[in-house]
Amino acid sequence: MTAYDDLMAHQRETEALAQVAGRLGWDQETMMPRGAAAQRAEEMAAMESVLHARRVDPRVADWLAGIDDSTLDPVGRANLRHIRRDHERATKVPAQLAARIARVTSEAQGIWAEARAADDFSAFVPTLTEVIALKREEGQALATAGDVYDAMLQDYEPGTTGDQIAAMFDALRPELSELRAAVRAAEAPPKLEGLFDEAAQMKLTRHLAKTFGYDMSMGRVDKAVHPFSSGSGLDVRITTRTNPADPFNCFYSTIHEVGHAAYEQGIDRAFLLTPLGRGVSMGVHESQSRIYENQIGRSRAFTGWLFGQMTEAFGDFGIPDADTFYRVVNRVSDGYIRTEADELQYNLHVMLRFDLERALVSHDLQVSDLEAAWNDRFEADFGYPVDRPSNGVLQDVHWSVGLLGYFPTYSLGNVYAGCLHEAMRAALPNLDAELARGETGSATGWLRAAVQTHGGLMEPREVIEQATGHPPSESPLLGYLRRKFSGIYGL
């Protein structure tokens, strides 16, 4: 056995234990009885302690020192890149702090959910204050003398800085705001009206999951308050939610999460339970969920097929034809909720969160002032006031579980998706004819070969550049949005 063999055997066990910890999180969101929250927090803390101990194990440093990178193939060198990065970060965070963060964020999830249900941000303030303080402490340990928010970003998008994210938003904001203003001044498509049976929604949503290539023999679809995807390799689970007045929420949440799940299911099986056996970053991950949901799922061609499926499931639901249905699906509407926002306004929601969480991390904003800051910024950006906390500062789970630095990767994923869509369209000239028949295989197959199969083999931006032939840019996304919404709204 070589040092590399010993290191990888240790790493495979660590990866397997991390999957077990992830399954505890999945269960907490879907199946766990409410009264088990305190015990689950202890279980999560115990798992984090075990994982942290394995990541900082002195033998890892010895194995890394004993390996000559030049003797390894590209897969081996990529494994070492990830293990070195994770080991360096883990050794900077005290074990006690890592366990405390796991315990507090597990408890905070339940407290957030109760505060959200009661529309009472003040009930969440003490807990969120503790979460932010703990994450700042962790960020300071990781950053040493550098920027704390930049250190936090590395957990989700390695190699990216807060300034780079801010520059991306500076490039997006003017045209998005201008296009949004023009659309809001134009005549809007009709709204979807009526009630849609929730059992029928779940039946169709499972059909949609399979239509987009989700392998149900290694996955499952459940309901949760906040849709998510969990797991990798041979066990990748997704959740969705239903609303009798809004079936699109269910269908497009499912397609979105299938994009995440398809990425994990599509990674080369040779990488199973190694650092390469999961998505390389949240930005690249989000590129898959967004391109599945939007550029494919909300396209004129695919919505024509979906119109037929909905008619079959629900009968006449008040939309006269497929063309009107396409416009209804892509209607730009006022609303508070990021996950329900249309493509045109979605990134404005993310910009708000990015600026606020960066201010929280830098001490420029206190948690006690967060609700007022959110409400002021939302009204300035969207032109109407927040009506209640569950539609504002309490709508997202991310801060309660300590995911600071996560939000901007949603917009980064949109930018990546714009680049991938442009390249995919060039490679698949008959795509619309296939989507009109509900056949997504060419699109999802192209994405699997171009992005998904590589897992963590390359750096995030390198994945996109290799798939598209050029560095990531905001231009393809802006051009796509301009063409699409100008067409729908007759601009």
Side-chain angles (χ1 to χ4, degrees):
M1 292 280 284
T2 66
Y4 179 78
D5 293 332
D6 289 337
L7 175 64
M8 291 307 297
H10 177 86
Q11 186 67 29
R12 285 188 180 91
E13 288 188 358
T14 303
E15 297 284 343
L17 287 167
Q19 291 295 315
V20 174
R23 212 82 69 242
L24 286 174
W26 170 85
D27 176 75
Q28 182 171 348
E29 287 291 298
T30 56
M31 303 290 184
M32 186 189 80
R34 289 182 61 190
Q39 179 175 313
R40 181 55 48 86
E42 293 300 319
E43 293 166 357
M44 296 290 278
M47 285 297 299
E48 183 55 37
S49 293
V50 171
L51 287 166
H52 188 270
R54 293 185 65 85
R55 289 168 182 144
V56 301
D57 189 321
R59 292 177 299 169
V60 173
D62 293 339
W63 287 323
L64 287 169
I67 298 170
D68 180 358
D69 291 28
S70 67
T71 64
L72 301 177
D73 62 11
V75 169
R77 291 195 294 272
N79 275 319
L80 286 195
R81 184 180 74 244
H82 285 281
I83 294 170
R84 282 198 181 101
R85 181 185 286 155
D86 291 347
H87 180 68
E88 288 171 5
R89 288 176 70 76
T91 54
K92 292 178 180 179
V93 179
Q96 226 174 3
L97 176 59
R100 190 176 172 202
I101 289 171
R103 182 182 295 109
V104 169
T105 53
S106 181
E107 292 172 343
Q109 203 165 353
I111 295 168
W112 161 78
E114 291 176 1
R116 182 176 180 269
D119 272 314
D120 183 6
F121 180 67
S122 65
F124 186 48
V125 167
T127 302
L128 183 57
T129 300
E130 185 176 9
V131 171
I132 298 296
L134 288 171
K135 292 301 291 185
R136 277 199 204 108
E137 186 178 346
E138 180 188 54
Q140 287 162 355
L142 291 169
T144 38
D147 184 270
V148 173
Y149 190 75
D150 285 354
M152 293 175 169
L153 277 172
Q154 303 317 299
D155 281 333
Y156 313 108
E157 198 67 21
T160 297
T161 68
D163 286 345
Q164 288 173 330
I165 297 293
M168 174 185 73
F169 285 137
D170 286 344
L172 290 172
R173 181 186 288 277
E175 186 158 350
L176 290 179
S177 298
E178 181 181 341
L179 183 56
R180 177 179 179 271
V183 162
R184 292 187 80 214
E187 182 179 354
K191 290 182 180 180
L192 186 67
E193 305 284 356
L195 297 177
F196 297 79
D197 179 74
E198 291 179 80
Q201 287 186 43
M202 288 302 295
K203 182 179 179 181
L204 180 50
T205 212
R206 288 187 170 91
H207 180 50
L208 283 169
K210 294 174 185 176
T211 296
F212 276 85
Y214 183 49
D215 187 342
M216 296 286 281
S217 72
M218 293 181 285
R220 53 183 292 138
V221 182
D222 295 279
K223 291 173 71 171
V225 173
H226 192 105
F228 66 95
S229 174
S230 174
S232 65
L234 307 182
D235 189 346
V236 187
R237 309 178 186 194
I238 66 170
T239 67
T240 190
R241 59 186 172 198
T242 57
N243 178 341
D246 184 11
F248 294 157
N249 192 317
C250 178
F251 302 150
Y252 284 100
S253 291
T254 298
I255 295 171
H256 179 100
E257 298 307 334
V258 165
H260 284 302
Y263 187 3
E264 295 294 340
Q265 289 186 337
I267 294 170
D268 190 327
R269 292 289 166 77
F271 300 159
L272 188 68
L273 295 179
T274 76
L276 310 190
R278 54 183 184 266
V280 68
S281 76
M282 287 316 305
V284 176
H285 236 300
E286 198 64 19
S287 77
Q288 301 307 282
S289 61
R290 295 298 282 179
I291 199 170
Y292 274 54
E293 175 190 357
N294 292 325
Q295 282 93 338
I296 301 172
R298 297 183 195 272
S299 68
R300 184 183 295 273
F302 186 80
T303 57
W305 176 81
L306 181 57
F307 175 68
Q309 297 297 304
M310 283 190 64
T311 301
E312 186 175 320
F314 303 108
D316 182 356
F317 57 96
I319 304 299
D321 52 53
D323 185 64
T324 304
F325 183 76
Y326 166 68
R327 297 174 66 238
V328 170
V329 166
N330 289 287
R331 190 179 194 274
V332 175
S333 302
D334 289 349
Y336 303 103
I337 306 300
R338 173 187 60 84
T339 57
E340 299 170 9
D342 52 77
E343 291 177 85
L344 180 55
Q345 300 185 96
Y346 183 89
N347 292 301
L348 297 173
H349 287 270
V350 178
M351 292 176 201
L352 178 154
R353 289 154 176 77
F354 167 71
D355 288 339
L356 291 181
E357 71 176 14
R358 209 176 180 194
L360 284 170
V361 170
S362 66
H363 295 274
D364 290 337
L365 177 63
Q366 301 305 309
V367 173
S368 57
D369 299 322
L370 178 60
E371 183 177 16
W374 178 295
N375 292 347
D376 289 346
R377 172 64 181 272
F378 186 90
E379 186 164 7
D381 283 0
F382 292 91
Y384 46 93
V386 174
D387 60 347
R388 58 184 186 271
S390 57
N391 279 337
V393 69
L394 286 175
Q395 69 178 266
D396 293 300
V397 70
H398 300 61
W399 289 334
S400 72
V401 294
L403 299 180
L404 293 160
Y406 192 117
F407 276 123
T409 65
Y410 287 124
S411 287
L412 193 57
N414 281 331
V415 168
Y416 290 165
C419 298
L420 291 169
H421 179 240
E422 183 178 69
M424 182 176 71
R425 285 282 177 182
L428 303 175
N430 298 319
L431 180 58
D432 280 337
E434 295 173 3
L435 294 179
R437 297 190 297 268
E439 297 170 5
T440 68
S442 291
T444 58
W446 187 90
L447 289 166
R448 176 166 289 201
V451 176
Q452 295 165 8
T453 188
H454 304 301
L457 186 61
M458 296 176 277
E459 294 285 14
R461 290 177 65 88
E462 187 182 358
V463 173
I464 305 304
E465 185 163 357
Q466 179 170 296
T468 65
H470 57 75
S473 162
E474 299 83 8
S475 295
L477 175 64
L478 288 171
Y480 157 77
L481 292 173
R482 184 169 55 249
R483 290 188 300 273
K484 179 173 187 174
F485 288 98
S486 294
I488 290 171
Y489 281 84
L491 302 179

